[in-house]
Amino acid sequence: MIAFPLVGAFVLLVFGRFTNRWGHLLGVAMSLASFAVAVLAFFELVGFGEEQRRRAVHLYEFIPGMVDMGLLIDPLSISFALLITGVGSLIHIYSIGYMSHDEHRRRFFAYLNLFVAAMLLLVLADNYVGLFIGWEGVGLASYLLIGFWQFKPSAAVAAKKAFVVNRVGDFGLLVGMFLIWTTFGTLAFGELQPITSENPTTLAIGLLLLLGACGKSAQLPLQSWLLDAMEGPTPVSALIHAATMVTAGVYLVVRSGAFFFPEGSGAALAVAIVGAATLLAGAIIGCAKDDIKKGLAGSTMSQIGYMMLGAGLGPAGYAFAIGHLITHGFFKADLFLGAGSVMHGMNDEVDMRKYGGLRKLMPITFATFFIGYLAIIGFPLLSGYFTKDGIIETAVHHQPILGWLAVLGAGITGFYMSRMVFMTFFGQKRWADDAHPHESPSVMTIPLMILSLGALGLGAYLVLSNRLLLFLAPAVGRPEELPAFHFTSTPGLATLALVAVGAAFAWMRYGRAEVPSVQPRGSFLTTFARRDLYGDALNESLFMRPGQWLTRLAVYFDNRGIDGIVNGLAAGIGGSSGRLRRIQTGFARTYALSILIGAALLTGALLLVGNI
């Protein structure tokens, strides 16, 4: 699984322009080959009994006496591997059409292959060291892909921002790994047992791992990089948001369940609180974005927040969190690639205020996008309805306040996603005269159709009869009482009611009424959301400015203190020697006089001492 895309990236990067004519085909073939291996591994795994569905693959001794390099095939890792390679392959295929006119298409596919290989290593490693190598590989690949169009200053800055913000989270993960090793003497997942009671050390480990997860999954307070990352090509956005990077944090929390146990521990509660806060923040941001990709990026923040909320509920919420992660991979890839299809037909225009009435000109894109929209708002019987509502119902049962905040977030989701659909596909045309919207080629629309099928029925298959929960149980544990999905639960009905209210309000504002082509000034709350809840300003005030002051203070202390002492001592010695060398005149009479004076002083001193 890992070797195929890694070899693809190696060939495309090393042989360079010699692979320009067929490099994109090699990239797609390597991703599809990896998917085929993942499917074979899945069927081989389910052929074993439940107690044997944890297959270790030893590779070599990595750090003697500390950790070996090995892979772990279990229900959790194979679920992620299927998502990464399956959805990733569809994104590769879509990219053939989307990047057809880019002169550096071959390099783009090399980076896509590298991204897939790094993410597979992250989820398949059997210890934290291997996970961390994949973790950093994903960070490198995201930097290369977000800044792929580096001739655009905004893209180069966005890539650097993503890289720097993620290093903050990586610091937390590294220190957490150090604590795990010093406390338990191992970094292998299979050798860590769930803690029976939380203590300060295990709490610190859990919070540090959460910090790492917040960086990769764009959760508060490390979310500021995600919306800027939309500067990369649209397939990159789909790959990062649907199948790879942002799911890594959720995987880390679930895989590290030993430190978030027992239920209700401080670390687990922190995960749930971060998830609930982020799902609301992302939804609010999505309400005010006119850039279609940034609106979807806010949506990703919000949906990952739901997954983190589920992961913070322990084994009772793990299956719903992973289930929502899988279904989200399909409908969010569908939505992002659908947005790319719209941009492809609109001269790369991203402002939804310059769209309107596209459903008749782009029927396949509209149909598939609309299915993804229904899935993400939780329309009954579609994928998101089962997985997201499962998280909400479980949260209301275990953490009522956080659960009802999630219900509120679902209502806001109904508004901003309906706003996006109405502004893009309904109403009167608002596009420029030189725009000629048209349907995308089949190499782009066929992946959209396949993804929309997953958005339609995958959630019901995973959740009903607890299929996913029972499949994941050998890897993540099983709750004492198996949950049951209730179609008429109070939280579920409240969620549907709020989603309907949000969609109706969006129809009144953007479907029935005329949409202005220029963004209105808006209220304070609108400005608050447009500026990403002032996240950048907050980071600048709390971290960047104090960091600048601290740096200037350190430079001043270094120049005037450390260097001042050294330079002062050197200057003193240099000045003294300069004055002392003047007595070296070269005249014998001067030296004789000096000897005489010295002898007289010495004789006088001896006489004085003798008299005393």
Side-chain angles (χ1 to χ4, degrees), residues 537-559:
L538 185 65
N539 287 336
E540 183 174 338
S541 301
L542 293 181
F543 302 107
M544 192 275 283
R545 296 283 180 199
Q548 282 185 328
W549 298 332
L550 181 62
T551 301
R552 290 169 182 169
L553 179 62
V555 170
Y556 179 83
F557 178 73
D558 183 63
N559 290 337

Side-chain angles (χ1 to χ4, degrees), residues 114-191:
L114 180 63
F115 210 140
V116 170
M119 190 65 190
L120 284 172
L121 175 59
L122 190 158
V123 300
L124 291 174
D126 69 350
N127 61 78
Y128 282 101
V129 175
L131 179 148
F132 187 76
I133 295 172
W135 191 273
E136 292 303 302
V138 169
L140 170 63
S142 66
Y143 170 78
L144 295 172
L145 285 169
I146 293 169
F148 183 75
W149 288 327
Q150 54 192 274
F151 56 85
K152 295 167 55 179
S154 57
V157 170
K160 289 188 289 184
K161 184 177 182 180
F163 196 82
V164 171
V165 172
N166 272 275
R167 298 293 75 73
V168 178
D170 296 352
F171 173 78
L173 176 56
L174 265 179
V175 177
M177 289 167 54
F178 298 157
L179 276 179
I180 293 171
W181 169 253
T182 55
T183 304
F184 301 98
T186 182
L187 288 168
F189 301 136
E191 298 175 10

